[in-house]
């Protein structure tokens, strides 16, 4: 596409539109001062202020050639009366999350197995039958045993069946074991409890399976080369497994806390009564979308070019309109969280904000996603303030009577805990609730703090950089929040003494 010559633009732009746009820009710069003078700034929702008339309309009653004040109107969404329908210090929330005693170890072994595959070879198997771990290509026909009708969504030709995918469809996988190429077998079983589409969950089906091709892995050996592939700097498999175990635990805890906080926020919103302006919901959606893009860039899911493309007005508007119901729910939760923060006087310090921003910038620069000069630090600082406020509210609520039920979405196992850290205790025993509801069993075999590490004063006083340096000296993982890294360092130093 060629650039349009400037003389063409100048001859075709409406002068009134150009003047109106300039006037709007000038007036927008004065809106903050005008709101303060009006006395409603404290009641106004941030970011909802806008000029009541367009610049073109204002020009019809303003003479720019004569000096003097310009009178204009401002529209703004103001806070509506609020009330609580319940006691927010007595919340009960349910979090769907895996429950078990060896989750991290299982995650590490899955990663080891995948690395062995990546470094190994997949060969054709022609004489033997299917054993666990094989890759089978099958023709799969599913039929409703009552009506005899084909279940279209579960009928496939040339379907790739990974036989080591535990928990996917165990009954079907068990039924194909031992099959040889060109063999046909009928397996009658129920779809798993969590299936897509949901209407098929736990319903009976008759599967006719024909094995077309069979492949078997020649896995790479567990050696120092595989260790280095698994974890940078690992000298052997024992080192790699230990480091990966630390990262797996940190990742699980972070994911659990994120989901727990989200559940608490929604539970707060459910008992928070107020009227929410539609414009505020849309603006909140824009901010959430931007924050999500920033998070994706920080974690390396997108680069800067993709960020700019996804930040177009069209993409943002599509996101907001497609998720308006969820955004209203999220906005109500945000307002409830802000109300708790104000009522409890929970504040953040400038030092906390700067540390949060610096950590984000370092993550982005370390992953070479952008340089400090390319980032909008002021916008990141505003986001950091919001994140820290939310974190303090969640911390307050989690330590003041919130009852937390963790329920495994696949097995139905559940456990009730009093504090988030109880979820990570090695003595925690999940309880299977055969009735289908949440169990109210004790949170852990040990309900005290015997297995929690009391931080020595010298470690408690350390900053994040100092903790990371000490962990690096000991070849320990430097993942997780500062508190988690301090606990890891304290445990290591306790073993050294």
């Amino acid at each position: 596409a060629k650039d349009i010559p400037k003389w063409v633009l100048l001859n075709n732009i409406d002068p009134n539109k150009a003047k109106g746009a300039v006037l709007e820009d000038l007036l927008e710069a004065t809106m903050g001062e005008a709101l303060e003078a009006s006395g409603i700034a404290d009641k106004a929702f941030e970011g909802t202020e806008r000029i009541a008339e367009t610049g073109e309309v204002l020009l019809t009653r303003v003479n720019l050639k004569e000096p003097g004040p310009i009178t204009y109107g401002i529209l703004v969404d103001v806070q509506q009366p609020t009330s609580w329908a319940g006691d927010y210090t007595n919340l009960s929330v349910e979090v769907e999350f895996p429950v078990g005693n060896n989750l991290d170890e299982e995650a590490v072994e899955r990663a080891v197995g995948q690395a062995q595959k990546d470094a190994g070879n997949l060969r054709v198997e022609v004489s033997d039958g299917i054993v666990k771990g094989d890759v089978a290509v099958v023709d799969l026909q599913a039929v409703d045993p009552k009506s005899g009708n084909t279940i279209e969504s579960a009928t496939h030709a040339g379907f790739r069946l990974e036989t080591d995918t535990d928990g996917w469809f165990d009954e079907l996988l068990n039924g194909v074991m031992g099959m040889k190429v060109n063999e046909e077998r009928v397996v009658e079983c129920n779809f798993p409890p969590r299936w897509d589409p949901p209407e098929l969950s736990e319903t009976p089906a008759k599967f006719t399976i024909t094995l077309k091709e069979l492949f078997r892995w020649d896995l790479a050996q567990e050696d120092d080369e595989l260790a280095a592939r698994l974890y940078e700097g690992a000298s052997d498999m024992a080192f790699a497994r230990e480091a990966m175990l630390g990262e797996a635990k940190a990742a699980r805890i972070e994911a659990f806390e994120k989901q727990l906080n989200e559940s608490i926020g929604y539970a707060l919103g459910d008992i928070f009564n107020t009227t929410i302006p539609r414009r505020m919901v849309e603006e909140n959606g824009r901010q959430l979308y931007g924050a999500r893009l920033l998070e994706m860039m920080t974690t390396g899911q997108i680069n800067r070019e993709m960020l700019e493309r996804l930040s177009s007005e069209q993409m943002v508007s599509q996101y907001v309109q497609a998720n308006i119901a969820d955004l209203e729910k999220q906005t109500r939760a945000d307002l409830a969280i802000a109300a708790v923060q104000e009522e409890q006087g929970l504040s953040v310090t400038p030092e906390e904000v700067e540390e949060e921003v610096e950590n984000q910038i370092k993550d982005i620069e370390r992953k070479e996603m952008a340089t400090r000069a390319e980032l909008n630090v002021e916008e990141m600082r505003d986001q950091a303030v919001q994140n820290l406020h939310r974190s303090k509210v969640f911390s307050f609520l989690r330590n003041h009577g919130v009852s937390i039920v963790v329920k495994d979405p696949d097995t139905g196992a559940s456990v009730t805990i009093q504090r988030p850290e109880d979820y990570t205790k090695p003595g925690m025993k999940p309880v299977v609730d055969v009735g289908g509801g949440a169990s109210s069993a004790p949170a852990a075999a040990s309900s005290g703090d015997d297995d929690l590490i009391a931080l020595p004063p010298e470690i408690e006083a350390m900053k994040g950089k100092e903790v990371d340096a000490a962990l690096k000296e000991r070849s320990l993982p430097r993942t997780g929040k500062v508190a988690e890294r301090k606990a890891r360092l304290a445990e290591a130093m306790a073993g050294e003494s």
Side-chain angles (χ1 to χ4, degrees):
K2 295 182 178 180
D3 291 335
I4 301 174
K6 292 182 179 178
W7 65 268
V8 175
L9 291 174
L10 291 172
N11 287 331
N12 286 277
I13 290 178
D14 186 337
N16 285 332
K17 285 187 177 181
K19 288 180 181 179
V22 172
L23 181 58
E24 284 182 36
D25 283 342
L26 291 172
L27 295 180
E28 283 176 359
T30 69
M31 281 198 299
E33 183 179 346
L35 276 177
E36 290 291 341
S38 71
I40 65 169
D42 292 340
K43 300 178 182 178
F45 285 122
E46 185 179 353
T48 63
E49 62 274 8
R50 64 272 187 196
I51 298 172
E53 301 169 293
T54 65
E56 288 182 84
V57 173
L58 286 170
L59 284 173
T60 62
R61 58 180 180 78
V62 173
N63 187 352
L64 298 179
K65 294 181 179 179
E66 295 182 4
I70 297 176
T71 302
Y72 67 97
I74 297 176
L75 299 177
V76 65
D77 295 330
V78 297
Q79 297 177 8
Q80 301 298 308
T82 64
S83 63
W84 293 102
D87 181 3
Y88 59 69
T89 63
N90 191 32
L91 289 177
S92 178
V93 298
E94 181 175 288
V95 183
E96 284 200 349
F97 208 77
V99 173
N101 294 319
N102 301 298
L103 298 175
D104 304 322
E105 289 81 359
E106 290 169 2
V108 169
E109 293 311 312
R110 283 195 298 271
V112 171
Q114 186 59 51
Q116 287 181 288
K117 290 180 181 179
D118 294 341
N121 297 296
L122 191 62
R123 60 177 172 82
V124 177
E125 176 59 51
V126 293
S127 59
D128 200 7
I130 296 178
V131 297
K132 187 171 182 178
D134 287 348
V135 177
V137 177
V138 301
D139 286 347
L140 195 65
Q141 184 184 32
V143 174
D144 184 330
K146 293 181 180 178
S147 66
N149 295 329
T150 298
I151 304 174
E152 298 292 346
S153 63
T155 296
H156 307 277
F159 182 74
R160 180 185 172 106
L161 195 63
E162 303 277 354
T163 63
D164 59 354
T165 312
D166 291 329
W168 171 70
F169 201 152
D170 292 342
E171 286 189 74
L172 183 65
L173 292 177
N174 291 336
V176 303
M177 290 298 152
M179 285 184 68
K180 295 185 177 182
V181 175
N182 296 323
E183 181 181 344
E184 182 177 288
R185 187 176 293 182
V186 175
V187 177
E188 297 190 36
C189 58
N190 291 337
F191 283 98
R194 290 170 64 88
W195 191 258
D196 187 19
E199 56 266 22
L200 290 179
S201 298
E202 299 185 291
T203 61
K206 184 168 72 172
F207 292 91
T208 301
I209 306 154
T210 304
L211 179 58
K212 309 299 289 186
E213 296 178 276
L214 183 61
F215 301 91
R216 184 159 295 165
W217 286 103
D218 288 329
L219 300 175
Q221 296 295 314
E222 290 194 20
D223 53 20
D224 296 348
E225 185 178 345
L226 186 70
R229 177 190 287 264
L230 281 163
Y231 193 88
E232 185 178 355
S235 55
D236 54 39
M237 287 299 296
F239 182 100
R241 274 191 166 91
E242 183 177 358
M244 291 168 65
L245 187 62
E247 289 194 343
K249 180 177 180 180
R252 180 170 58 87
I253 293 172
E254 183 178 353
F256 173 72
E257 289 195 342
K258 182 178 180 180
Q259 196 158 336
L260 171 60
N261 290 343
E262 183 179 272
S263 298
I264 292 175
Y266 289 148
L268 278 177
D270 288 341
I271 61 171
F272 186 66
N273 297 324
T274 191
T275 302
I276 306 175
R278 167 79 179 214
R279 184 181 179 89
M280 183 184 183
V281 175
E282 294 177 348
E283 181 59 31
N284 194 32
R286 292 173 177 274
Q287 293 180 8
L288 288 171
Y289 183 77
R292 175 59 182 145
L293 290 183
L294 181 61
E295 180 185 350
M296 290 173 70
M297 190 174 79
T298 304
T299 55
Q301 298 176 56
I302 60 174
N303 56 29
R304 186 168 183 79
E305 182 181 345
M306 295 170 66
L307 174 70
E308 292 175 355
R309 189 163 61 248
L310 291 170
S311 299
S312 70
E313 179 60 30
Q314 181 182 3
M315 295 295 291
V316 176
S317 296
Q318 286 178 357
Y319 168 82
V320 170
Q321 296 309 316
N323 297 277
I324 196 68
D326 289 338
L327 289 173
E328 183 170 352
K329 181 179 179 181
Q330 181 64 60
T331 303
R332 183 174 297 277
D334 291 342
L335 290 174
I337 291 167
V340 174
Q341 180 227 328
E342 183 176 352
E343 290 177 17
Q344 298 300 326
L346 305 172
S347 59
V348 298
T349 65
E351 292 77 15
E352 288 174 322
V353 175
E354 290 308 313
E355 182 179 3
E356 180 80 5
V357 172
E358 283 301 313
N359 287 339
Q360 281 195 22
I361 292 175
K362 286 176 184 176
D363 278 344
I364 292 172
E365 289 184 326
R366 179 173 56 82
K367 294 169 183 173
E368 300 181 349
M369 302 304 298
T371 65
R372 181 184 294 264
E374 295 173 317
L375 297 172
N376 187 333
V377 177
E378 195 58 40
E379 187 176 299
M380 293 178 68
R381 190 173 285 113
D382 290 341
Q383 188 63 46
V385 171
Q386 292 181 35
N387 291 342
L388 288 167
H389 275 148
R390 294 171 67 89
S391 179
K392 286 182 180 284
V393 169
F394 292 139
S395 179
F396 168 81
L397 291 172
R398 294 186 316 195
N399 289 286
H400 286 79
V402 173
S403 174
I404 307 163
V405 176
V406 186
K407 186 171 184 179
D408 192 304
D410 294 320
T411 67
S414 63
V415 63
T416 300
I417 61 177
Q418 295 303 317
R419 298 169 302 173
E421 57 264 31
D422 290 335
Y423 173 72
T424 68
K425 290 184 178 183
M428 188 185 80
K429 302 295 183 183
V431 176
V432 177
D433 177 15
V434 296
S439 168
S440 58
S446 171
S447 60
D449 291 336
D450 296 339
D451 53 348
L452 300 179
I453 298 172
L455 296 181
E458 62 271 19
I459 295 180
E460 187 66 61
M462 280 184 169
K463 294 184 177 179
K465 292 180 181 178
E466 297 169 328
V467 176
D468 287 345
L471 289 170
K472 185 176 181 180
E473 288 177 4
R474 292 165 173 79
S475 298
L476 292 172
R478 302 185 297 280
T479 56
K481 297 182 179 179
V482 175
E484 295 162 6
R485 303 203 300 273
K486 285 182 178 180
R488 191 176 303 134
L489 177 60
E491 187 174 16
M493 292 179 66
E496 294 168 2
S497 60

